[in-house]
Structures are given as C-alpha cells and as structure tokens.
Amino acid sequence: MLTLPFDEQSSNQTISSLRMSWTSNKLVKLIKPEIDRVLEESLETRREDELRNAEVKEEESEAGDPAWLRRRASQKKKLSHSRLDRVRLRRIEANARERHRMHGLNNALDSLRKVVPCYSKTQKLSKIETLRLAKNYIWVLSEILSTGKRLDLLTFVQTLCKGLSQPTTNLVAGCLQLNTCSVISQPDEESLSLYAAYHHHPGPEAGGSTTAGSGRSLRPFGSFCSPFESLNDSSSPESSGSLDMGTLSPPFNFSGLFTLKHEEPVDYRSCHNGLRYCPINQGCSSDLGPYDIQLRGQFYQVQGELNKPFHN
DNA sequence: TAGGCCATCTGGTCCT
DNA sequence: AGGACCAGATGGCCTA
C-alpha cells in the first residue's frame, strides 16, 4: 500500500493539487493508479458528506425560506448523481485550466524578469516589483530615445528604482554596485541639471520633500517630468501611487526601430559591474554618450547591450 | 510572530 | 454549454 504524504483529513484540493503537481514527474506514472484510487475515494467521501449536508440544510431551511430559494433547493435536489458528477468534473477541469492559465502568466512574468535589468536566478523579483521595474525601464528607454541624451548611472538607477521597495532598490543598486543611500538620497549636479531641463512643473508629488537645500530626499525625482507629457498627458513613473501602465506609453512605437551602438569595443570589466557609463566628474562630452541611437531593426541587440551588464 | 508573497480553489461574469 | 478571465478567500512558505 502506497503511503501518500498527506493524511486522510487532507482536502480534495490538496489531493488534486498534488496530483497535478506530480503529473510532470515520471514517478507519477508508476503511482498514478494509486493516486487516482485515493483521489476517487476522497472525492466519493466528500461527495457523500456534501450530499448529506445539503439535505440537512434543505430540511432546515424549507420552512421559512423565500419561494425562489425553495425553488433553487428543489432544483438542487433534482440533480442526479451523474449530473453532480459532471458538475464536479467541470469544476476540476476548470481548476486545471486556471492553474495552466496562471502558469502561463507566470512564465510570461519570468520572461519579463529576464529582460529587465537585474535579473537574478537566485533572488527573483516579485511579480509586482517586476512590473514596476519594467515600467520604469521602459520609461528610461523612452527618455533616452526622446531626448537623445545619455543618463548617468546614478540617474539611470534612481529612475529604475522609483516606486520599488527597499529590498528591490538594494538589489538594483547591488547589481550596479551602487551605494543605496546615493540612489535614494543624493542626486549629483549632473543629474540635477538634467532634471532642471526636464522640469516643467513640480507635479503633485513634489510638494513634500525636495532635493535642493536639504540635499536629502526620499523622492529626489519628484519633479522629473517627461517631455511626453505634452503629447500624451503621461507623467513620470513616480507620478502615480499605484501601478498605472496605461499612462506611460511612449510617444511612438519604437520597438524594433533602433539600436544602441557603442563607439568602441567595450571592456565591461573596467566599468561598474559591466555597465558602460560616464561616471560623474569624468566629463563625457558626447551628447549621446554611449548611446548612439540609430534607426535599425535590431531591438534585441539594444536590449542585450543594455541588459548584459545587469544580468548575473 | 507578523507581514509579504505565492499557488490554488472557487464562484461570478462575459463571450462564443 | 463551455471556456477565458477575474477577484476574493485561504493556506503554506519564508524572512525580518
């Protein structure tokens, strides 16, 4: 007799989920008949219990229930065993489909994790953080495209980290070997000048902390406005408290239309964790810096170039 | 131990 | 009728 890792009190849900989980395992082929038998026994037991309970409930309620409820109860009563079985079978199938659907969703999220900065097999980003990071990443790329200006690493990371939790911020900063404090609190002059260029209006979130004066702010980019605003009425990634992908669409569909070209072969080892960027005080004179945007059809090359340094 | 995250189940709704 | 999608509920696991 096979001993399954759950006792008789385990619910059918547990049994069916275990059954589904094990389906992919080759071992299950050997023990499947046993699993099916236990499952059927469990289903049968539960079926009998539910029928008993339903009968008791109907007896209890028939006296004072409204007519529609009595009708419903009598309809239930009329459900034959075969009909009940069919209903339950449909429920089981629906559960399996739902699981499959959610697995598909999770696979898609995994794919997304691999194309955003800071992909790590060991420390997986949560679903919500993955979406937030992706949103910020798209926004940064759109900024680079629309302004034609490079972002220094600090700005890049700070923008990526907008709205992310502290652990994720740490992860992103860690990927780039940045001090987290500098990511969240101390924008450099270059960054500030860049914000000034973008600064159209303070925005609703800029009322509280500021970057000037105190030199310390939890939200240093509160007034970092996107040039897209005039076109799309969109705002910076930080402008909405909740996840709002809809307002952040870029001004045009650039997917597959551009690539980033390095001016010269890059030795990633000489840079912070591989990212080629212009550190503060090193005076990169090029307008575009390392990002030489060209209209080609090599989006994935861009993606690879941008992500290569971050992925460990 | 509380809180975050996740997988799963479930019933409702909409669509074909 | 049946499938896809969604949101709420629930319980397990992990971590600070």
Side-chain angles (χ1 to χ4, degrees):
Chain A
M1 171 65 185
L2 175 72
T3 306
L4 292 172
F6 46 81
D7 59 32
E8 290 181 358
Q9 303 300 318
S10 298
S11 68
N12 287 335
Q13 295 175 4
T14 309
I15 295 171
S16 60
S17 66
L18 277 173
R19 186 187 183 191
M20 292 302 298
S21 305
W22 292 358
T23 303
S24 57
N25 194 320
K26 287 182 180 175
L27 272 178
V28 82
K29 289 177 182 171
L30 299 174
I31 59 175
K32 191 172 182 299
E34 191 68 20
I35 294 175
D36 285 341
R37 194 185 60 74
V38 173
L39 175 63
E40 283 312 314
E41 280 180 6
S42 176
L43 280 175
E44 191 58 37
T45 307
R46 182 175 168 182
R47 201 173 291 146
E48 288 168 2
D49 288 346
E50 286 181 356
L51 281 173
R52 259 197 303 276
N53 290 339
E55 284 170 8
V56 169
K57 274 183 186 171
E58 282 165 15
E59 283 170 11
E60 284 173 351
S61 63
E62 269 180 6
D65 280 347
W68 65 269
L69 202 55
R70 282 203 301 275
R71 268 202 309 276
R72 207 172 184 183
S74 75
Q75 280 172 359
K76 254 187 181 176
K77 220 181 238 176
K78 285 174 190 168
L79 285 181
S80 64
H81 272 287
S82 61
R83 169 105 173 123
L84 266 176
D85 286 345
R86 244 181 49 214
V87 169
R88 291 206 171 91
L89 180 64
R90 278 214 339 252
R91 189 62 262 174
I92 289 171
E93 288 171 346
N95 289 346
R97 280 195 304 273
E98 178 66 8
R99 272 197 305 272
H100 186 255
R101 196 181 70 84
M102 294 310 294
H103 289 166
L105 194 60
N106 289 338
N107 287 340
L109 263 168
D110 275 338
S111 303
L112 188 58
R113 283 189 184 100
K114 289 173 186 169
V115 297
V116 296
C118 293
Y119 171 66
S120 167
K121 281 181 181 172
T122 52
Q123 193 176 349
K124 238 170 67 170
L125 288 177
S126 71
K127 293 178 177 180
I128 186 70
E129 295 290 84
T130 301
L131 291 174
R132 285 179 178 141
L133 183 57
K135 179 193 73 172
N136 291 349
Y137 189 36
I138 291 169
W139 195 84
V140 165
L141 295 179
S142 302
E143 281 297 315
I144 293 170
L145 261 185
S146 65
T147 64
K149 287 186 177 179
R150 66 180 169 78
L151 297 178
D152 62 273
L153 179 64
L154 189 56
T155 310
F156 183 63
V157 178
Q158 282 173 325
T159 310
L160 279 183
C161 291
K162 284 174 195 173
L164 300 186
S165 69
Q166 189 58 53
T168 309
T169 299
N170 290 342
L171 181 64
V172 175
C175 280
L176 298 158
Q177 297 180 353
L178 272 185
N179 183 334
T180 315
C181 290
S182 69
V183 172
I184 64 171
S185 65
Q186 294 179 5
D188 56 280
E189 281 184 17
E190 193 179 13
S191 301
L192 284 172
S193 65
L194 187 57
Y195 311 148
Y198 288 145
H199 189 157
H200 295 159
H201 60 76
E205 72 282 43
S209 56
T210 59
T211 55
S214 69
R216 180 175 180 81
S217 164
L218 290 177
R219 307 177 75 178
F221 301 119
S223 58
F224 190 49
C225 298
S226 163
F228 305 158
E229 281 183 347
S230 57
L231 294 171
N232 284 8
D233 196 30
S234 65
S235 53
S236 76
E238 188 68 355
S239 63
S240 64
S242 59
L243 189 65
D244 183 7
M245 303 292 207
T247 60
L248 288 172
S249 46
F252 55 93
N253 182 2
F254 59 83
S255 179
L257 289 177
F258 73 95
T259 184
L260 303 183
K261 190 188 74 179
H262 289 294
E263 291 168 334
E264 55 193 39
V266 178
D267 181 8
Y268 288 123
R269 289 166 301 182
S270 66
C271 303
H272 275 276
N273 218 18
L275 175 67
R276 183 167 191 265
Y277 73 105
C278 293
I280 306 159
N281 302 329
Q282 284 196 11
C284 289
S285 56
S286 164
D287 282 339
L288 290 173
Y291 310 114
D292 183 4
I293 300 173
Q294 299 186 353
L295 293 178
R296 293 181 184 174
Q298 301 176 7
F299 176 68
Y300 288 107
Q301 183 183 336
V302 182
Q303 204 173 52
E305 292 291 342
L306 280 167
N307 290 337
K308 198 183 331 181
F310 304 110
H311 292 173
N312 53 21

